[in-house]
Amino acid sequence: MSVCAIIPAGGSGTRMGGIVPKQFQSLNGKPILYYTIKTLQNCETISEIILVIPEKEYKTANADWLGKLKIVKKVVIGGEKRQDSVYNGFCEASQDSEIVLVHDGVRPFLSQKMITDSIDAAREYGAAITAIPVHDTIKRVDTSGLVSQTIDREGLWRVQTPQAFRYSLLLEAFNKAKSENFYGTDEGALIEHLGEPVKIVEGLEQNIKITRPEDLELSKAFIPMLFPDT
Ligand code: C5P
């Protein structure tokens, strides 16, 4: 049964500085997105990839990815929020897909195990998200920098991608979210909004979201270990 992977890479990524969005910034001579796509295309279960990119990058991305990589079925333009971008990608997924896997373009260090565990859990539970347990103490801080609350960390998890869903369930979740103008910061939240269960799959600390310049520095150290052939 087929699995479609959607890579939201449609953000403007301004926190990183520079004029190029973070997903296109260079990591050891290649755009960050290159590593993300490489790992996803190495997974035999994934039959197609839909790449979502900002309008400004559309022409270049089409030439760079669509023609050269057969697994990239379509390059589509992103929306205002991440959820809009994923939805735009979802609209292009093959309708006979059994599972849709969503993975942030700016998380190049996912593992094959995370991908297959997410897909397997989505087959069993309908929806699965990768996450890691919180070990630090968590506090709420007000706008003047003073602590207002310590939050019990028992049972708290930091959520990552990949996240995988049965196609039909994600379709239902998007339809409900759209009709109610509901927005979440991940697709798991849309399934919760539907009232359906979401299974946790163990993520990895290495699966960072490259957001700030220091993340890029850390990433440079990961490359020789995780992509020795590049
Ligand atoms: O920073 P954020 O969590 O929003 O980014 C996660 C991923 O979602 C990034 O790969 C980013 O490019 C993508 N995104 C998107 N469309 C947006 C905003 C973010 O595809 N409008």
Side-chain angles (χ1 to χ4, degrees), residues 10-216:
S12 56
T14 45
R15 271 166 294 186
M16 194 82 103
I19 46 165
V20 181
K22 59 194 173 191
Q23 60 275 28
F24 300 104
Q25 290 200 11
S26 173
L27 184 56
N28 288 20
K30 300 229 165 25
I32 290 170
L33 200 49
Y34 164 87
Y35 301 98
T36 312
I37 295 176
K38 192 170 159 74
T39 300
L40 287 168
Q41 77 162 1
N42 283 347
C43 174
E44 281 175 10
T45 331
I46 294 175
S47 45
E48 63 182 24
I49 291 176
I50 313 280
L51 192 55
V52 189
I53 48 111
E55 191 167 8
K56 265 185 16 199
E57 313 293 329
Y58 182 72
K59 263 193 177 165
T60 326
N62 238 345
D64 284 355
W65 310 109
L66 194 60
K68 292 179 194 152
L69 294 172
K70 255 171 103 186
I71 196 163
V72 179
K73 183 192 164 205
K74 195 139 194 182
V75 178
V76 300
I77 294 171
E80 192 190 334
K81 296 186 181 165
R82 181 185 180 284
Q83 185 176 316
D84 301 316
S85 293
V86 175
Y87 180 75
N88 290 358
F90 179 71
C91 291
E92 298 298 333
S94 296
Q95 286 180 10
D96 61 357
S97 301
E98 180 206 7
I99 300 288
V100 174
L101 179 127
V102 181
H103 183 67
D104 292 337
V106 289
R107 288 187 193 267
F109 304 125
L110 75 165
S111 67
Q112 290 298 327
K113 186 172 185 313
M114 290 167 79
I115 300 171
T116 50
D117 285 355
S118 309
I119 293 169
D120 289 348
R123 283 193 170 124
E124 191 175 346
Y125 295 91
I129 61 173
T130 38
I132 43 183
V134 169
H135 298 303
D136 296 321
T137 297
I138 304 286
K139 294 187 191 280
R140 190 179 302 283
V141 179
D142 69 19
T143 47
S144 52
L146 294 173
V147 171
S148 59
Q149 189 191 5
T150 299
I151 295 163
D152 181 6
R153 69 183 173 200
E154 185 64 35
L156 290 188
W157 291 64
R158 286 197 288 130
V159 174
Q160 307 179 333
T161 65
Q163 303 195 348
F165 311 92
R166 266 187 223 128
Y167 178 93
S168 53
L169 184 66
L170 189 56
L171 176 64
E172 198 185 337
F174 267 128
N175 285 343
K176 182 169 165 67
K178 279 210 157 279
S179 69
E180 295 171 10
N181 200 26
F182 174 84
Y183 275 90
T185 49
D186 72 340
E187 284 59 57
L190 308 188
I191 307 295
E192 292 160 51
H193 189 64
L194 257 189
E196 295 295 328
V198 177
K199 177 71 176 165
I200 290 283
V201 168
E202 193 98 20
L204 282 175
E205 289 288 353
Q206 75 182 38
N207 183 31
I208 58 168
K209 182 159 79 170
I210 304 179
T211 307
R212 302 153 306 165
E214 53 267 41
D215 300 328
L216 199 59

